Amino acid sequence: MNTIQNGSATQELAGKRALVTGGSRGIGAAIVRQLLEAGAEVLATARSTTYAAPDGAAFVTADIRTEAGTEALAEAALETLGGVDMLVHNAGGARANEGASAMTIPAEDWQDTLDLNLLAPVRLNALLVPGMRERGSGAIVHISSAAVLPPVPAFAHYQAAKAGLETYSRALAAELAPSGVRVNALGPGRTATPGGEETRKRWASDDEGSGAVNTPPLGRDGRPDDIADAVLFLVSDRASWITGTYFSVDGGEYPRN
Ligand SMILES: NC(=O)c1ccc[n+]([C@@H]2O[C@H](COP(=O)([O-])OP(=O)(O)OC[C@H]3O[C@@H](n4cnc5c(N)ncnc54)[C@H](OP(=O)(O)O)[C@@H]3O)[C@@H](O)[C@H]2O)c1
């Protein structure tokens, strides 16, 4: 049953435990804040403590690009929370590359980008989904990008990793649906965050003609809370009949159908 706190926020996620990767700043920090406001217990993670996680969240440092990092994080999540009911794979991004060429992205950057954006979610799910399955419930959200489709050569590695994440997300949703675990993907458009601003400086110069440097049709850039609003919906029981989907949250910038 929902209760009211501070006169306004509903505690619809009270009793639920969430892990948010990249929860120290930008979109991840907004997701952490909204989960806390909805009554969830939250563990946030990032590599550094430069940005503190929002007040009220537990925080652990981990570099999730490696198997050792995801294992340490899964252990910390089980120790801190006792189990994970909601898993938001938000950490992501790509190093900006010199030269607008998909041909010359260094092998190391390919590996890094695939590790962070695709394999970290795959590895964490392998460790944390079995508990969800046993309990017969759980909600996973994979944060992709709305801008996966327009060709941007310098970001081919990032776009390929996010496209792979979306495909994997659909397959995992089909496999887990009978056990009551829901899996969805969400693609933010241009959202004002430290990582987003950094990426866009590079993206804009490589993206002639695709429209990515224009203001989104709804007339403004996204705010981290625009993305968090949609994530909160997807992890809540209001989305209890939604799995295997992809949502764009991008002000209408990248129509997919
Ligand atoms: N902002 C946009 O316009 C936009 C658009 C499309 C998609 N997205 C996607 O939305 C998600 C969030 O983006 P954002 O703009 O909020 O990013 P951001 O400002 O760069 O924040 C990224 C977060 O992830 C953490 N992180 C990065 N690498 C990590 C690693 N190896 N291990 C653990 N944590 C790591 C960062 O902390 P540390 O650096 O301390 O590790 C930080 O907390 C990403 O998946 C991004 O691809 C964003």
Side-chain angles (χ1 to χ4, degrees), residues 11-103:
Q11 296 278 286
E12 65 176 330
L13 299 180
K16 297 275 177 72
R17 302 155 299 182
L19 172 60
V20 181
T21 66
S24 66
R25 63 170 191 254
I27 290 169
I31 294 168
V32 170
R33 270 193 301 274
Q34 288 206 20
L35 285 166
L36 289 167
E37 283 164 16
E41 195 181 344
V42 185
L43 175 64
T45 188
R47 284 166 305 177
S48 71
T49 51
T50 312
Y51 295 82
D55 279 351
F59 180 75
V60 62
T61 54
D63 185 341
I64 60 171
R65 288 171 298 180
T66 65
E67 274 188 67
T70 50
E71 278 165 18
L73 176 58
E75 257 175 51
L78 295 175
E79 247 174 55
T80 310
L81 303 172
V84 174
D85 305 303
M86 299 171 290
L87 181 41
V88 184
H89 297 283
N90 164 76
R95 196 177 296 172
N97 289 281
E98 292 307 317
S101 166
M103 293 289 292

Side-chain angles (χ1 to χ4, degrees), residues 22-28 46-48 62-65 90-93 116-117 143-145 158 162 188-191 193-196 200:
S24 66
R25 63 170 191 254
I27 290 169
R47 284 166 305 177
S48 71
D63 185 341
I64 60 171
R65 288 171 298 180
N90 164 76
L116 177 59
N117 294 277
I143 302 295
S144 179
S145 168
Y158 174 70
K162 293 296 200 188
R190 40 187 301 152
T191 308
T193 67
R200 260 184 300 286

Side-chain angles (χ1 to χ4, degrees), residues 90-138:
N90 164 76
R95 196 177 296 172
N97 289 281
E98 292 307 317
S101 166
M103 293 289 292
T104 58
I105 295 169
E108 187 195 338
D109 288 2
W110 268 102
Q111 194 59 59
D112 247 27
T113 304
L114 290 167
D115 279 330
L116 177 59
N117 294 277
L118 175 59
L119 295 177
V122 170
R123 291 170 180 147
L124 274 174
N125 286 337
L127 296 165
L128 294 172
V129 165
M132 294 181 177
R133 256 183 157 154
E134 271 169 32
R135 292 187 292 278
S137 68

